[in-house]
Amino acid sequence: VAESVLIIGGGIIGLSCAWEAVKRGYRVTIVEKEAFGGQASGAAAGMLAPFSENPDGPDPFFQLCLDSHRVYPDWVREVEECSDFSVELCSTGSLNVALHESDLLPIQTRLLWQRKYGAACEWLGAAELRRLEPRLSPQAKGALYSPVEGHVYAPKLVQSLAVACRRAGVKLIPYAGNIERMDIGMASGPSVSMNAIGRITADRIVICTGAWSGMLEEWLPLSIPVHPIRGQICSYAARANDVQHMIFSSQAYWVGKKDGSLVCGASEDVAGFERTVTERGVERLTRWSGRLFPSLQDVRPQRSWAGLRPATRDGWPLIGPVPGSPEIILAAGHYRNGILLSPITATRVGDLLEGRTKLNGTVDLNAFDPGRFTSIAGQLR
Ligand SMILES: Cc1cc2nc3c(=O)[nH]c(=O)nc-3n(C[C@H](O)[C@H](O)[C@H](O)COP(=O)(O)OP(=O)(O)OC[C@H]3O[C@@H](n4cnc5c(N)ncnc54)[C@H](O)[C@@H]3O)c2cc1C
């Protein structure tokens, strides 16, 4: 009989781990306290941007992003084939636009080191930039062009993964409610009691509860310093999109989606678990949209929304077993890059379920050890 795996949390990370586990022969159940994909994963802009998101240097987090980016096209193809659902992967390339002299130095620094890692990036002067993106402001002095970056439509990726999971035999339980109790270290295996569905026991539990992961400290012998960072984001109507590339400025980003809308994000607010959109937040995005694209001056976005990014104290995710309790695996805290990092996280979790401690590739996995914030006595919080 196959071992059973219970995944807690039905965002992109939980669904990716569920799909990986079922493909490796486990009996998988995934419980979500509300609707699948209803939190950060459904709110994301869907950018797959390992180079633009890591301007400073080739640290382990950059390597993790890069490894995930490399496998993305094949991973997406498999999800699409198993769900009959397009996730709208677009390999548009990105442009990091310099509006001021002060934007140039970070771009030059990136150009120097990222080329060694396959970024194939190049500096484009003002004239060439406007040839590629005629709607950009004439104030743009140039841009760093990264041809290999792209994006997916995140809500469709979540939906597609849910369908692929269901077809592969995963039991999906939405609206399971909150955790009332978790027992680990029991001879009968770990178990979780949730107020809408009762108690579930499994051989292993994978915790993928995004920004809410810190709340599980109550049941686990480790410190989980994950906190929510609200991202407010908006989109302009279909006619807005003749922007071909993903555009980054120092203050915001713009992504043209396949349906023709132009998504602009995102704020980084400390607002607890509050998910409302504020007038001030949208006004800031609207102002920057008008500065980068003069045709958007005085245009109101058609839609705005917000999500809670799961941030950790050091900005890097927690991927690995709970110290002393290898039957409990954490996969949380992906902050700004959970959509990009879902395939590599799922592979890592699949390897851990199979008892493999090393991941093929270049990444130093100690950097993401969930125990790194916990002292031996478990008191360092
Ligand atoms: C505005 C915005 C833009 C973003 N843009 C990008 C982008 O372009 N590219 C990118 O890679 N990333 C992006 N991100 C980040 C990305 O969305 C997150 O890193 C990712 O979605 C995290 O996935 P997750 O599954 O861990 O979290 P979530 O999607 O939040 O899922 C966690 C789930 O766990 C559930 N849950 C919590 N507690 C419990 C419990 N006790 N029991 C059961 N279920 C529980 C929640 O209801 C939730 O559905 C963006 C985020 C935001 C907010």
Side-chain angles (χ1 to χ4, degrees), residues 223 313 372-375 377-381:
S223 173
R313 195 185 295 156
R372 68 187 184 276
F373 302 106
T374 311
S375 72
Q379 295 304 313
L380 183 75
R381 293 209 163 172

PDB file of all heavy atoms in Angstrom, residues 223 313 372-375 377-381:
ATOM      1  N   SER A 223      10.684  27.502  15.240  1.00  0.00           N
ATOM      2  CA  SER A 223      10.286  28.874  15.002  1.00  0.00           C
ATOM      3  C   SER A 223       9.975  29.049  13.519  1.00  0.00           C
ATOM      4  O   SER A 223      10.764  28.628  12.669  1.00  0.00           O
ATOM      5  CB  SER A 223      11.451  29.772  15.423  1.00  0.00           C
ATOM      6  OG  SER A 223      11.191  31.092  15.083  1.00  0.00           O
ATOM      7  N   ARG A 313      11.923  35.940   7.631  1.00  0.00           N
ATOM      8  CA  ARG A 313      12.796  36.936   8.244  1.00  0.00           C
ATOM      9  C   ARG A 313      14.003  37.243   7.361  1.00  0.00           C
ATOM     10  O   ARG A 313      14.455  38.368   7.276  1.00  0.00           O
ATOM     11  CB  ARG A 313      13.254  36.455   9.621  1.00  0.00           C
ATOM     12  CG  ARG A 313      13.855  37.578  10.430  1.00  0.00           C
ATOM     13  CD  ARG A 313      14.426  37.069  11.738  1.00  0.00           C
ATOM     14  NE  ARG A 313      13.393  36.547  12.596  1.00  0.00           N
ATOM     15  CZ  ARG A 313      13.619  35.643  13.555  1.00  0.00           C
ATOM     16  NH1 ARG A 313      14.828  35.171  13.747  1.00  0.00           N
ATOM     17  NH2 ARG A 313      12.638  35.219  14.303  1.00  0.00           N
ATOM     18  N   ARG A 372      16.529  26.843  10.458  1.00  0.00           N
ATOM     19  CA  ARG A 372      17.609  27.840  10.606  1.00  0.00           C
ATOM     20  C   ARG A 372      17.290  28.977  11.573  1.00  0.00           C
ATOM     21  O   ARG A 372      18.183  29.713  11.959  1.00  0.00           O
ATOM     22  CB  ARG A 372      18.012  28.391   9.239  1.00  0.00           C
ATOM     23  CG  ARG A 372      16.971  29.254   8.533  1.00  0.00           C
ATOM     24  CD  ARG A 372      17.453  29.581   7.123  1.00  0.00           C
ATOM     25  NE  ARG A 372      16.593  30.469   6.370  1.00  0.00           N
ATOM     26  CZ  ARG A 372      15.522  30.095   5.666  1.00  0.00           C
ATOM     27  NH1 ARG A 372      15.170  28.824   5.625  1.00  0.00           N
ATOM     28  NH2 ARG A 372      14.818  30.977   4.991  1.00  0.00           N
ATOM     29  N   PHE A 373      16.039  29.127  11.952  1.00  0.00           N
ATOM     30  CA  PHE A 373      15.703  30.202  12.898  1.00  0.00           C
ATOM     31  C   PHE A 373      15.507  29.670  14.321  1.00  0.00           C
ATOM     32  O   PHE A 373      15.066  30.378  15.201  1.00  0.00           O
ATOM     33  CB  PHE A 373      14.408  30.904  12.467  1.00  0.00           C
ATOM     34  CG  PHE A 373      14.492  31.486  11.095  1.00  0.00           C
ATOM     35  CD1 PHE A 373      13.839  30.895  10.023  1.00  0.00           C
ATOM     36  CD2 PHE A 373      15.239  32.630  10.857  1.00  0.00           C
ATOM     37  CE1 PHE A 373      13.913  31.425   8.751  1.00  0.00           C
ATOM     38  CE2 PHE A 373      15.327  33.172   9.591  1.00  0.00           C
ATOM     39  CZ  PHE A 373      14.664  32.571   8.540  1.00  0.00           C
ATOM     40  N   THR A 374      15.791  28.386  14.516  1.00  0.00           N
ATOM     41  CA  THR A 374      15.492  27.749  15.794  1.00  0.00           C
ATOM     42  C   THR A 374      16.780  27.351  16.488  1.00  0.00           C
ATOM     43  O   THR A 374      17.620  26.672  15.889  1.00  0.00           O
ATOM     44  CB  THR A 374      14.644  26.477  15.563  1.00  0.00           C
ATOM     45  OG1 THR A 374      13.566  26.815  14.688  1.00  0.00           O
ATOM     46  CG2 THR A 374      14.092  25.933  16.865  1.00  0.00           C
ATOM     47  N   SER A 375      16.964  27.742  17.742  1.00  0.00           N
ATOM     48  CA  SER A 375      18.143  27.321  18.494  1.00  0.00           C
ATOM     49  C   SER A 375      17.958  25.863  18.895  1.00  0.00           C
ATOM     50  O   SER A 375      16.864  25.308  18.782  1.00  0.00           O
ATOM     51  CB  SER A 375      18.306  28.179  19.737  1.00  0.00           C
ATOM     52  OG  SER A 375      17.299  27.819  20.654  1.00  0.00           O
ATOM     53  N   ALA A 377      17.691  24.655  21.737  1.00  0.00           N
ATOM     54  CA  ALA A 377      16.642  24.575  22.757  1.00  0.00           C
ATOM     55  C   ALA A 377      15.275  24.977  22.198  1.00  0.00           C
ATOM     56  O   ALA A 377      14.274  24.882  22.872  1.00  0.00           O
ATOM     57  CB  ALA A 377      16.997  25.486  23.913  1.00  0.00           C
ATOM     58  N   GLY A 378      15.266  25.421  20.930  1.00  0.00           N
ATOM     59  CA  GLY A 378      13.993  25.793  20.325  1.00  0.00           C
ATOM     60  C   GLY A 378      13.483  27.147  20.811  1.00  0.00           C
ATOM     61  O   GLY A 378      12.320  27.476  20.644  1.00  0.00           O
ATOM     62  N   GLN A 379      14.378  27.943  21.415  1.00  0.00           N
ATOM     63  CA  GLN A 379      13.901  29.187  22.018  1.00  0.00           C
ATOM     64  C   GLN A 379      14.169  30.427  21.170  1.00  0.00           C
ATOM     65  O   GLN A 379      13.616  31.487  21.430  1.00  0.00           O
ATOM     66  CB  GLN A 379      14.581  29.382  23.381  1.00  0.00           C
ATOM     67  CG  GLN A 379      14.210  28.319  24.396  1.00  0.00           C
ATOM     68  CD  GLN A 379      12.704  28.249  24.588  1.00  0.00           C
ATOM     69  OE1 GLN A 379      12.052  29.273  24.755  1.00  0.00           O
ATOM     70  NE2 GLN A 379      12.161  27.049  24.517  1.00  0.00           N
ATOM     71  N   LEU A 380      15.030  30.332  20.169  1.00  0.00           N
ATOM     72  CA  LEU A 380      15.424  31.522  19.404  1.00  0.00           C
ATOM     73  C   LEU A 380      14.319  31.889  18.429  1.00  0.00           C
ATOM     74  O   LEU A 380      14.122  31.223  17.431  1.00  0.00           O
ATOM     75  CB  LEU A 380      16.717  31.212  18.636  1.00  0.00           C
ATOM     76  CG  LEU A 380      17.317  32.341  17.830  1.00  0.00           C
ATOM     77  CD1 LEU A 380      17.993  33.333  18.747  1.00  0.00           C
ATOM     78  CD2 LEU A 380      18.299  31.799  16.822  1.00  0.00           C
ATOM     79  N   ARG A 381      13.558  32.904  18.737  1.00  0.00           N
ATOM     80  CA  ARG A 381      12.427  33.229  17.864  1.00  0.00           C
ATOM     81  C   ARG A 381      12.510  34.653  17.378  1.00  0.00           C
ATOM     82  O   ARG A 381      13.138  35.470  17.990  1.00  0.00           O
ATOM     83  CB  ARG A 381      11.134  33.023  18.600  1.00  0.00           C
ATOM     84  CG  ARG A 381      10.959  31.528  18.890  1.00  0.00           C
ATOM     85  CD  ARG A 381       9.552  31.122  18.957  1.00  0.00           C
ATOM     86  NE  ARG A 381       9.514  29.670  18.818  1.00  0.00           N
ATOM     87  CZ  ARG A 381       8.432  28.954  18.986  1.00  0.00           C
ATOM     88  NH1 ARG A 381       7.306  29.517  19.240  1.00  0.00           N
ATOM     89  NH2 ARG A 381       8.461  27.648  18.847  1.00  0.00           N
TER      90      ARG A 381
END
